[in-house]
Amino acid sequence: MSAWNTFLYAVSLLMMLLVRCCQLVCVEVPSDTEALHGTNMKLTCISCVRREEVNTDTLVAWTYVNNDQEISIYEFNGEPRGLKGPYQGRILWSGSKDLQDVSITIVNVTLNDSGLYRCTIKRYFNYKIHRPSVTDVKDVQLTVHEDEMIYCYRKILKSEQAAQENAADYLAIPSGNKEKQSTVPVEE
């Protein structure tokens, strides 16, 4: 093989690798965990998988975990399906068509909806001879607040605590201005 052919082969290989690296990326993000009574709450569950050219069958099961007992509340097996029980008619599919995002939304959350939710994704890879599978499990601990004022107060309190922790950064006085500044005691 001539040097020119070797160079072209190397460039072609490099281009294929670059194209492969520049494909869309699936980013797994944690779910929100706090909701206000009477609002809708999206429970986020994202499970990234490299699909390539392999055909997969994806099964999704959402359960509510109560004292180590899992109560099935929603399934996806080719199409979304709500289940009979306390969540019947209150859960909407919020996932994506490619089934990387398999989130659900609880409509009109109540205080009784507080608790642990489990999202289980099982993918079957369809090869000609072999059908391996992989399972991914995500947990979301949901807290439903009764009163908007309490919920807002907690958010403000957390924000104020973070600001106090970083107060030293904001109270620094540039050395060139020390003579012009009056001395004022700072209370914490």
Side-chain angles (χ1 to χ4, degrees):
M1 188 183 281
S2 72
W4 181 249
N5 286 342
T6 303
F7 174 75
L8 288 177
Y9 178 76
V11 169
S12 299
L13 184 61
L14 180 62
M15 293 301 287
M16 288 188 332
L17 289 173
L18 286 174
V19 167
R20 189 174 182 102
C21 293
C22 296
Q23 293 176 346
L24 295 177
V25 176
C26 176
V27 178
E28 295 186 25
V29 294
S31 179
D32 285 337
T33 59
E34 295 185 32
L36 186 60
H37 180 278
T39 62
N40 296 347
M41 177 63 186
K42 182 177 180 180
L43 301 179
T44 303
C45 182
I46 297 175
S47 176
C48 299
V49 66
R50 289 192 109 186
R51 292 215 161 184
E52 306 286 328
E53 286 127 24
V54 178
N55 186 16
T56 62
D57 294 324
T58 302
L59 306 175
V60 180
W62 275 94
T63 55
Y64 177 77
V65 182
N66 188 7
N67 298 326
D68 294 328
Q69 179 186 5
E70 291 192 41
I71 301 164
S72 295
I73 62 171
Y74 204 81
E75 292 179 349
F76 185 99
N77 185 0
E79 61 182 47
R81 183 172 71 111
L83 302 175
K84 292 183 179 180
Y87 293 90
Q88 186 174 0
R90 294 184 49 227
I91 297 182
L92 303 173
W93 177 254
S94 300
S96 62
K97 287 183 180 182
D98 68 356
L99 298 178
Q100 302 270 351
D101 180 354
V102 292
S103 304
I104 59 172
T105 297
I106 302 175
V107 176
N108 195 20
V109 294
T110 67
L111 296 176
N112 292 333
D113 293 334
S114 291
L116 180 65
Y117 292 84
R118 181 160 294 145
C119 170
T120 305
I121 307 104
K122 188 159 193 164
R123 297 187 197 276
Y124 294 93
F125 297 91
N126 299 319
Y127 295 106
K128 290 180 182 178
I129 299 173
H130 186 53
R131 193 167 190 231
S133 66
V134 63
T135 302
D136 194 9
V137 178
K138 313 270 182 176
D139 287 345
V140 178
Q141 181 67 45
L142 177 63
T143 304
V144 179
H145 299 280
E146 182 175 12
D147 191 350
E148 187 172 0
M149 293 302 292
I150 293 171
Y151 176 71
C152 290
Y153 173 74
R154 288 184 181 155
K155 289 286 189 185
I156 292 168
L157 183 61
K158 285 181 185 177
S159 176
E160 286 178 353
Q161 288 172 345
Q164 285 179 356
E165 290 173 5
N166 296 326
D169 295 338
Y170 297 109
L171 294 177
I173 300 171
S175 59
N177 295 335
K178 284 184 180 177
E179 296 162 1
K180 298 177 186 175
Q181 299 290 331
S182 61
T183 305
V184 178
V186 177
E187 295 181 26
E188 291 187 28

